């Protein structure tokens, strides 16, 4: 809820808190006023000293009136921070923390370290903001650095600055100076993310979220939680993120929590912190021999703290142990930290074993998360048994009870909220939120189903249920919505092209999206935005936010300068070079990012560049298509058709995308040049494309003239490609995510170069697709080149299914599933395949040779129909589960039939909507053909 407060208001709150903090620090140097409230004879002050003896190692502590700076700091400020973290979450603390605020002074003044970058080709000089590199020593080990500093700070409290006001002031000022120095050395919130000793404490109490904190992954806000932000002159807030850490706690704390949950440093942080805090408070008892020393608060006003450094560090059973306090403190805290860590790891291991023995089906992440939750609950309440207790003890007894019960109640509610969280639930909510946005974009009529609620009011399960019952949510809109989710997930780095299939599995199951449909979506996205699937272009949510902030700043600068988008890039860079340089530094923008952003600001330029890129992709596809039509491999057409179809489909998608771009530039010179290149490169595919979708009416006459094939020139296909050229054309297809493509490429490669195919097959041995695994295994076992297709049972069945009219262009996973259940049978001439009266338990497909169907009427053959390879038999009877009315006989010396069991066929009809629709279309045509033949009699 506090995350919704405006930055202007939070800025004022930060100033107030920072000034108050600085006043406390100033009071540590000079405070002549507060000691009067602690004198023994003060008439009303609850802080006045009493005559009671506070025993420390058997002796009464001598006390004198004291200044309140240390008591207020340790007794109120520090416990308040812990309370805020658990109850309100990091998003409040990171926005009000004075130390974080002060670390941003160099950024506010524009005094930050930068690296000079000079382009060797153009000579242009750029300055890049320094950031901690993820692969640097600090980038890899910062959790240990922060925990080590925390450990040193707690040791320092007991030894040096619990009560010594001067040392405490110097320690705080040193920390402030370090924060400001880090703010100069590194951009963003590098102090908070990589150095601050409070960061481990913050993570323990505020992750995966505070009791009243917001959820960034389900929010529609562009600026979430404690994200770095700035206020523009018009009062609007804008992201100031420079992606100093990925993932970033300030953008989505729960995402950071789940991403790091399994890392070894997390167990040290959680379990070690429990031991460290326990050891810190227990040491007061080990030192003084009683609890009065701590609960009286005498440790915060002891004037001779430094004088005790070499005195006895332990006092047990009435006996001082002569280990210097200087050694005893780090020894005690170190032992407790180690015990806490080892005990936590042991408990975690035992619970995992218990969960496995009882078959509780809890993942390692969920087990660790719940142990962490218990640790946080325990240490929070343990901390507040001691934290602030010297001041709380001054309250009336009923006030103390309310205080304690309130803390227990809030922490219990936090456990209730946190216990049910899991990585899977977070992922489902994340995807449901993205899907909800896509539904809103489709503007579907959902009011009749929501009873006054909006889409944003629906929970995760309700969103998916709504999508299933909406009559207007057609297959095309489902495809569009899923495509939007995948695009957004790729842009934010939530998934990449290789992990998207697994990560988005839950969403596909809810929407009935098949794996093959997912691959089609990736293919379309890769054509629409080629950089989206580029593995070298590392994407992340943090990076996207940084680039978005820069883009909005550039747009605002253009608006202020009244520049037009069509010529804005060069003009802006020339006329506003100082402002642009400042923005580059602020957002750490490199030349490639700037070019990409300027294309986004000027969509016309970006679209033309994308069209140029797509035109450049066509030659490689054309080369591949021609290579796969060489006479040397035409005997393998059954498998080659798998590759031809895919290449043709990609060319169609590319050409359709380019034509869509050209439609928006009817008379642009660059568009005409692109049209000319396209007309020369792909005349055959282009003619078919122009005849569909009314492109002739949508494109300008000048562009249409350029698109037609060159007059007087015929398309020529070389037929003298070498084996090496054919193999080279297959290389890009081997990386295709479609298992049918991979298996087909592997098979064709084995026909041309067995050794090379074996080298490729070794990399495919770990593939998840059973088709690819089997093909790779067979290739590795071959001893002779040019193996027949019959040596690859699964691939043969899939290829024949694909080549049949009935199953052509079906989803790959459907074909693989049917092939896995199907059986190949061989028959000789005049051998009966099925007889009239047999129950149709299988769908039959002729794959080799031919067959004939004898149609009977009153016991006599009235008609004979001949079937060739690729045709199906008795499909109507299979669909109706009826008996065969005709006899099917093999009509060649060798007739091979692929038999698909009817129960497998029915199962895939239920599972694959596209398959069911395809079957319905084919059978409708068959019925229409039959009716026309009947009418003609």
């Amino acid at each position: 809820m506090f995350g919704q407060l405006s930055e202007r208001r939070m800025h004022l709150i930060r100033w107030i808190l920072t000034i108050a903090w600085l006043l406390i620090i100033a009071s540590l140097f000079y405070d002549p006023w507060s000691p009067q409230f602690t004198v023994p004879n003060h008439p009303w002050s609850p802080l006045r000293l009493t005559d009671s003896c506070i025993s420390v190692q058997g002796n009464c502590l001598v006390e004198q009136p004291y200044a309140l700076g240390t008591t207020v700091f340790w007794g109120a400020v520090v416990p308040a921070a812990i309370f805020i973290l658990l109850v309100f979450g990091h998003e409040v603390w990171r926005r009000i923390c004075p130390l974080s605020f002060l670390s941003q002074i160099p950024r506010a003044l524009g005094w930050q370290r930068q690296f000079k970058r000079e382009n060797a080709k153009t000579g242009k000089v750029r300055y890049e903001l320094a950031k901690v590199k993820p692969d640097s020593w600090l980038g890899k080990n910062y959790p240990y650095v922060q925990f080590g500093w925390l450990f040193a700070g707690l040791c320092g409290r007991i030894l040096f600055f619990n009560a010594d006001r001067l040392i405490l002031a110097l320690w705080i000022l040193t920390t402030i100076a370090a924060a400001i120095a880090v703010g100069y050395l590194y951009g963003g919130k590098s102090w908070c993310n990589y150095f601050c000793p409070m960061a481990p404490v913050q993570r323990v109490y505020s992750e995966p979220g505070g009791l009243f904190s917001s959820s960034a992954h389900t929010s529609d806000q562009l600026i979430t939680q404690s994200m770095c932000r700035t206020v523009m002159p018009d009062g609007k807030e804008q992201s100031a993120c420079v992606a100093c850490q990925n993932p970033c706690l300030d953008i989505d704390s729960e995402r950071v929590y789940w991403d790091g949950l399994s890392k070894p440093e997390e167990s040290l942080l959680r379990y070690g912190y429990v031991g460290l805090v326990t050891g810190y408070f227990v040491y007061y008892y080990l030192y003084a021999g009683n609890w009065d020393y701590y609960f009286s608060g005498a440790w915060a006003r002891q004037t001779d703290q430094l004088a005790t450094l070499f005195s006895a560090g332990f006092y047990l059973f009435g006996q001082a142990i002569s280990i210097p306090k200087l050694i005893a403190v780090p020894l005690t805290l170190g032992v407790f930290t180690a015990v806490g860590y080892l005990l936590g790891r042991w408990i975690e291991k035992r619970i995992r074993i218990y969960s496995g023995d009882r078959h509780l089906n809890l993942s390692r992440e969920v087990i660790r998360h719940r142990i962490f939750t218990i640790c946080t609950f325990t240490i929070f309440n343990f901390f507040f048994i001691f934290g602030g207790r010297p001041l709380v003890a001054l309250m009336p007894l009923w006030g103390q009870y309310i205080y304690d019960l309130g803390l227990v109640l809030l922490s219990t509610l936090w456990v209730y909220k946190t216990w049910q969280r899991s990585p899977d639930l977070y992922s489902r909510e994340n995807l449901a939120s993205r899907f909800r946005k896509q539904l809103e974009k489709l503007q579907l009529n959902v009011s009749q189903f929501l009873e006054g609620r909006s889409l944003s009011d629906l929970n995760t399960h309700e969103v998916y249920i709504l999508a299933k019952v909406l009559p207007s949510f057609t297959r095309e809109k489902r495809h569009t919505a899923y495509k939007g989710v995948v695009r957004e997930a790729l842009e934010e780095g939530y998934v990449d092209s290789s992990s998207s299939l697994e990560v988005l599995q839950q969403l596909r199951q809810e929407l009935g999206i098949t794996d093959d449909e997912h691959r089609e979506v990736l293919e379309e996205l890769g054509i629409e935005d080629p950089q989206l699937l580029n593995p070298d272009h590392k994407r992340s949510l943090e990076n996207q936010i940084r680039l978005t902030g820069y883009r909005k700043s550039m747009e605002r600068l253009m608006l202020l300068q009244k520049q037009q988008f069509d010529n804005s890039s060069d003009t802006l860079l020339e006329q506003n070079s100082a402002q642009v340089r400042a923005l580059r530094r602020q957002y750490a923008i490199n030349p490639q990012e700037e070019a990409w952003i300027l294309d986004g600001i000027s969509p016309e330029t970006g679209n033309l560049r994308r069209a140029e890129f797509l035109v450049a992709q066509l030659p490689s596809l054309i080369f591949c298509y021609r290579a796969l039509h060489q006479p040397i491999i035409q005997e393998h057409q059954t498998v080659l058709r798998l590759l031809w179809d895919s290449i043709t489909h990609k060319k169609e998608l590319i050409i359709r995308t380019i034509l869509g771009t050209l439609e928006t530039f009817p008379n642009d010179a660059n568009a005409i040049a692109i049209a000319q290149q396209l007309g020369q490169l792909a005349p055959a595919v282009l003619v078919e494309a122009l005849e569909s979708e009314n492109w002739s009416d949508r494109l300008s006459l000048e562009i249409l003239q350029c698109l037609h094939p060159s007059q007087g020139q015929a398309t020529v296909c070389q037929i003298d490609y070498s084996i090496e050229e054919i193999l080279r054309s297959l290389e890009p297809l081997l990386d295709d995510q479609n298992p049918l493509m991979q298996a087909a490429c592997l098979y064709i490669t084995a026909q041309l170069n067995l050794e090379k195919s074996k080298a490729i097959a070794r990399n495919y041995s770990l593939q998840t697709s059973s088709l690819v695994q089997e093909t790779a295994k067979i290739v590795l076992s071959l001893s002779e080149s040019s193996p027949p297709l019959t040596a690859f049972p699964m691939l043969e069945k899939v290829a024949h299914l694909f080549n049949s009219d009935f199953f052509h262009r079906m989803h790959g996973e459907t074909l693989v599933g049917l092939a896995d259940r199907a059986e190949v049978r061989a028959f000789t001439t005049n051998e009966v395949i099925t007889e009239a009266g047999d129950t149709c338990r299988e769908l039959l497909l002729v794959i080799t040779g031919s067959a004939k169907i004898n149609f009977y009427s009153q016991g006599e053959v009235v008609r004979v129909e001949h079937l060739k390879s690729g045709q199906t038999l008795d499909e109507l009877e299979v669909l109706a589960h009826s008996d065969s009315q005709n006899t099917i006989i093999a009509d060649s010396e060798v007739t091979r039939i692929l038999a698909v069991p009817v129960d497998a066929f029915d199962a895939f009809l239920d599972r694959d909507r596209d398959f069911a629709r395809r079957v319905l279309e084919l059978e409708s045509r068959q019925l229409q053909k039959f009716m026309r033949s009947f009418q003609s009699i």
Side-chain angles (χ1 to χ4, degrees):
M1 54 184 181
F2 285 93
Q4 305 301 319
L5 289 177
S6 68
E7 182 63 10
R8 289 188 185 277
R9 182 171 296 182
M10 293 303 296
H11 192 71
L12 177 61
I13 294 174
R14 281 196 295 271
W15 267 113
I16 295 173
L17 292 176
T18 301
I19 291 172
W21 194 40
L22 294 175
L23 288 175
I24 292 176
I25 297 173
S27 73
L28 298 175
F29 288 102
Y30 179 72
D31 181 10
W33 302 284
S34 65
Q36 62 181 311
F37 296 102
T38 64
V39 294
N41 59 355
H42 194 281
W44 54 266
S45 174
L47 297 170
R48 62 181 181 271
L49 293 172
T50 64
D51 295 332
S52 59
C53 172
I54 300 173
S55 177
V56 178
Q57 297 192 355
N59 300 313
C60 290
L61 191 67
V62 178
E63 295 191 274
Q64 298 177 356
Y66 59 94
L68 296 177
T70 55
T71 299
V72 171
F73 187 79
W74 300 124
V77 176
V78 173
I82 303 296
F83 178 84
I84 289 172
L85 286 171
L86 186 98
V87 177
F88 300 112
H90 84 285
E91 62 190 66
V92 173
W93 174 252
R94 295 272 271 221
R95 294 187 72 187
I96 67 173
C97 175
L99 197 56
S100 174
F101 181 46
L102 294 171
S103 73
Q104 297 300 304
I105 289 177
R107 173 181 169 274
L109 298 176
W111 298 343
Q112 289 185 288
R113 184 168 63 116
Q114 301 170 39
F115 294 117
K116 183 179 179 180
R117 298 284 187 258
E118 183 175 354
N119 190 313
K121 295 182 179 179
T122 63
K124 291 184 178 181
V125 176
R126 286 174 171 265
Y127 291 90
E128 182 179 314
L129 190 67
K131 294 189 290 186
V132 176
K133 296 182 179 179
D135 57 349
S136 64
W137 182 89
L138 179 60
K140 295 177 180 178
N141 296 283
Y142 70 89
Y144 303 107
V145 172
Q146 293 173 326
F147 192 83
W149 198 344
L150 175 65
F151 181 90
L154 291 181
C155 290
R157 276 192 61 177
I158 300 175
L159 293 172
F160 304 109
F161 47 80
N162 253 344
D164 193 301
R165 295 160 55 213
L166 178 61
I167 300 298
L168 176 60
L170 293 176
W171 170 265
I172 297 175
L173 290 176
T174 301
T175 304
I176 291 174
I180 296 174
V182 170
Y184 164 76
L185 294 172
Y186 301 104
K189 286 187 178 179
S190 294
W191 164 259
C192 304
N193 293 328
Y194 294 100
F195 295 93
C196 181
M198 188 68 178
V201 182
Q202 176 178 298
R203 296 197 63 179
V204 168
Y205 292 112
S206 69
E207 289 182 352
L211 178 60
F212 298 118
S213 63
S214 61
S215 296
H217 64 289
T218 59
S219 173
D220 293 331
Q221 304 264 333
L222 297 177
I223 300 179
T224 58
Q225 295 189 340
S226 54
M227 185 190 299
C228 298
R229 65 196 80 188
T230 185
V231 180
M232 308 307 292
D234 58 3
K236 294 182 179 179
E237 294 184 11
Q238 181 176 302
S239 166
C241 176
V242 299
C244 60
Q245 191 175 62
N246 180 26
C248 179
L249 186 74
D250 293 296
I251 295 174
D252 187 350
S253 62
E254 188 168 357
R255 174 175 170 234
V256 174
Y257 176 74
W258 297 122
D259 281 1
L261 187 62
S262 300
K263 295 180 179 178
E265 58 264 28
E266 285 300 308
S267 56
L268 172 65
L269 171 64
R270 307 283 174 158
Y271 305 143
Y273 178 80
V274 171
L276 177 62
V277 173
T278 304
Y280 172 81
F281 289 117
V282 168
Y283 180 77
Y284 288 97
Y285 179 86
L286 299 178
Y287 171 70
N290 59 77
W291 287 113
D292 290 342
Y293 174 61
Y294 179 84
F295 287 112
S296 66
W299 51 271
R301 54 181 184 261
Q302 192 173 356
T303 57
D304 61 342
Q305 182 176 5
L306 297 181
T308 64
L309 290 178
F310 296 97
S311 62
F314 296 109
Y315 186 79
L316 300 172
F317 308 108
Q319 182 67 40
I321 300 176
S322 57
I323 297 177
K325 188 178 181 182
L326 189 63
I327 297 175
V329 171
L331 178 63
T332 301
L333 269 59
V335 168
F336 271 84
T337 300
V339 170
Y341 171 72
L342 295 174
L343 182 61
R345 292 297 303 273
W346 181 82
I347 292 174
E348 183 179 332
K349 182 178 180 180
R350 297 306 305 172
I351 292 178
R352 285 206 305 267
I353 294 174
Y354 176 84
S355 174
D357 293 342
R358 298 299 178 92
H359 305 289
L360 300 180
N361 297 322
L362 296 176
S363 67
R364 294 171 63 95
E365 291 79 10
V366 171
I367 291 174
R368 174 170 278 200
H369 160 66
R370 292 183 176 179
I371 296 174
F372 284 178
T373 301
I374 294 173
C375 287
T376 299
F377 172 79
T378 303
I379 203 61
F380 176 82
N381 288 284
F382 181 80
F383 174 87
F384 277 102
I385 292 175
F386 300 92
R389 190 58 57 175
L391 294 178
V392 173
L394 302 176
M395 299 169 59
L397 194 58
W398 59 267
Q400 296 183 42
Y401 282 137
I402 293 176
Y403 174 83
D404 293 335
L405 289 174
L407 291 173
V408 173
L409 175 62
L410 290 171
S411 60
T412 302
L413 291 174
W414 178 86
V415 169
Y416 178 77
K417 174 187 176 182
T418 306
W419 187 266
Q420 59 188 332
R421 304 299 299 168
S422 69
D424 290 339
L425 179 58
Y426 172 83
S427 178
R428 285 178 61 83
E429 291 175 347
N430 194 329
L431 294 174
S433 177
R434 299 173 191 273
F435 181 59
R436 184 186 293 111
K437 295 176 186 176
Q438 299 304 319
L439 289 180
E440 291 173 348
K441 291 179 182 179
L442 293 175
Q443 297 181 344
L444 300 171
N445 182 17
V446 298
S447 57
Q448 58 179 320
F449 299 98
L450 300 185
E451 298 179 350
R453 293 192 295 171
S454 65
L455 278 171
S456 59
D457 297 327
L458 302 181
N459 62 35
T460 303
H461 305 289
E462 290 173 329
V463 170
Y464 294 129
I465 293 173
L466 176 66
K468 292 176 180 178
V469 301
L470 277 176
S472 56
F473 193 56
T474 60
R475 176 180 179 274
E476 289 74 22
K477 290 184 177 180
R478 181 190 65 181
H479 180 86
T480 301
Y482 182 73
K483 185 176 177 180
V485 172
V486 177
R487 179 188 288 108
E488 185 178 338
L490 288 168
E491 288 173 344
E492 294 182 2
Y494 180 70
V495 297
D496 56 32
S497 58
S498 59
S499 67
S500 59
L501 188 67
E502 179 182 356
V503 176
L504 301 176
Q505 183 178 3
Q506 288 182 340
L507 178 61
R508 290 201 309 280
Q509 291 175 348
E510 296 285 357
L511 299 181
I513 301 287
T514 65
D515 292 356
D516 287 303
E517 286 179 295
H518 172 79
R519 295 187 186 98
E520 290 175 8
V521 166
L522 284 181
E523 191 174 37
E524 292 174 12
L525 290 175
I527 290 172
E528 293 172 6
D529 186 355
Q531 291 300 316
L532 202 58
L533 304 184
N534 186 351
D536 298 326
H537 191 118
K538 301 300 182 183
R539 294 177 179 268
S540 67
L541 176 60
E542 291 71 18
N543 218 33
Q544 186 192 34
I545 291 171
R546 173 178 66 91
L547 297 176
T548 300
Y550 178 73
R551 178 177 59 79
K552 289 187 175 182
S553 297
M554 293 286 282
E555 288 175 346
R556 177 179 174 276
L557 188 56
M558 287 180 175
L559 184 62
L560 291 175
Q561 296 296 327
K562 297 182 179 179
Q563 298 290 339
Q564 297 298 320
F565 284 160
D566 57 350
N567 63 351
S568 59
S569 300
D570 296 335
T571 309
L572 175 69
L573 296 178
E574 291 174 4
Q575 296 185 1
N576 305 283
S577 56
Q579 297 95 318
V580 173
R581 284 198 299 270
L583 289 175
R584 287 173 186 157
R585 289 194 299 270
Q586 179 181 347
Y587 290 98
I589 301 297
N590 61 41
Q592 294 77 18
E593 290 170 339
E594 184 173 66
W596 179 77
I597 290 169
L598 290 177
D599 282 347
I601 293 176
S602 178
E604 293 84 358
T605 303
N607 289 336
L608 285 174
R609 288 185 181 178
R610 188 176 298 112
E612 291 172 354
F613 176 86
L614 292 176
V615 169
Q617 304 305 304
L618 284 173
S620 62
L621 288 175
I622 294 170
F623 167 74
C624 186
Y625 189 79
R626 290 175 177 175
L628 295 177
H629 278 79
Q630 296 300 302
I632 191 174
I633 55 174
Q634 288 312 294
E635 60 181 300
H636 308 293
Q637 286 193 25
T638 304
V639 175
L640 285 172
R641 287 194 183 96
L642 293 169
L643 304 177
W644 296 341
D645 189 82
S646 177
I647 295 171
T648 301
H649 181 60
K650 286 183 179 181
K651 286 197 293 186
E652 290 172 353
L653 285 176
I654 289 176
I655 290 174
R656 193 181 305 128
T657 304
I658 296 173
L659 292 178
T661 302
L662 296 179
E663 182 183 7
T664 61
F665 300 94
N667 299 307
D668 186 269
N670 293 322
I672 292 173
I674 292 173
Q676 290 173 341
Q677 294 179 51
L678 186 59
Q680 295 171 359
L681 281 172
V685 180
L686 194 55
V687 169
E688 295 180 8
L690 290 174
E691 290 176 356
S692 64
E693 301 184 28
N694 299 321
W695 287 112
S696 299
D697 298 331
R698 295 162 60 180
L699 298 172
S700 68
L701 181 61
E702 192 170 3
I703 287 180
L704 280 172
Q705 291 174 345
C706 297
L707 289 174
H708 285 293
S710 301
Q711 290 81 2
Q713 293 184 6
T715 302
V716 178
C717 179
Q718 291 179 269
I719 59 172
D720 58 350
Y721 281 29
S722 65
I723 291 177
E724 288 71 22
E725 288 177 311
I726 298 174
L727 290 172
R728 190 169 70 250
S729 73
L730 290 172
E731 290 176 358
L733 302 180
L734 287 165
D735 296 327
D736 197 289
Q737 291 190 343
N738 189 340
L740 271 64
M741 294 283 288
Q742 293 176 333
C745 286
L746 194 54
Y747 172 79
I748 298 299
T749 304
Q751 305 300 321
L752 301 174
N753 189 323
L754 183 58
E755 292 305 316
K756 183 171 184 178
S757 68
K758 287 186 176 183
I760 297 169
R762 292 187 186 98
N763 297 327
Y764 280 0
S765 58
L766 298 179
Q767 284 281 345
T768 56
S769 170
S770 59
L771 172 64
V772 179
Q773 283 185 354
E774 181 189 279
T775 307
K777 184 178 179 180
I778 294 171
V779 167
L780 290 172
S781 66
L782 292 174
S783 57
E784 297 182 1
S785 58
S786 301
L789 183 56
T790 53
F792 298 81
M794 181 70 77
L795 178 59
E796 182 192 22
K797 290 186 283 188
V798 168
H800 283 298
L801 286 170
F802 180 85
N803 281 281
S804 69
D805 292 337
F806 202 80
F807 297 99
H808 184 61
R809 277 202 170 181
M810 283 294 97
H811 292 153
E813 61 184 31
T814 301
L815 294 178
V816 173
L818 287 171
D820 187 51
R821 301 283 297 277
E823 178 186 351
V824 177
R825 297 171 187 165
F827 300 88
T828 59
T829 306
N830 294 325
E831 187 175 355
V832 175
I833 299 173
T834 63
E835 284 191 282
D838 290 346
T839 302
C840 291
R841 294 188 174 89
E842 295 166 328
L843 178 69
L844 305 178
L845 172 68
V846 180
I847 61 175
T848 305
S850 60
K852 60 183 180 180
I853 305 177
N854 292 334
F855 292 87
Y856 292 92
S857 176
Q858 297 179 355
E860 295 182 1
V861 177
V862 295
R863 184 164 61 93
V864 177
E865 182 177 334
H866 294 274
L867 300 176
K868 297 181 179 180
S869 177
Q871 290 185 281
T872 53
L873 314 174
D874 287 347
E875 64 269 22
L876 286 176
E877 287 80 359
V878 169
L879 289 172
H881 290 202
S882 61
D883 295 339
S884 177
Q885 303 299 317
N886 312 297
T887 298
I888 304 175
I889 302 173
D891 197 28
S892 58
E893 185 176 345
V894 178
T895 301
R896 299 173 72 235
I897 300 293
L898 185 64
V900 180
V902 66
D903 58 338
F905 187 81
D906 290 342
F908 281 96
L909 279 177
D910 293 337
R911 186 187 310 171
D912 192 334
R913 298 178 184 176
D914 290 335
F915 180 44
R917 187 177 60 256
R918 173 73 171 172
V919 169
L920 183 60
E921 290 175 357
L922 288 171
E923 293 312 309
S924 297
R925 291 173 192 164
Q926 289 281 69
L927 289 173
Q928 289 173 355
K929 181 180 177 181
F930 174 76
M931 293 299 295
R932 284 194 297 268
S933 65
F934 179 78
Q935 292 172 357
S936 64
I937 296 175

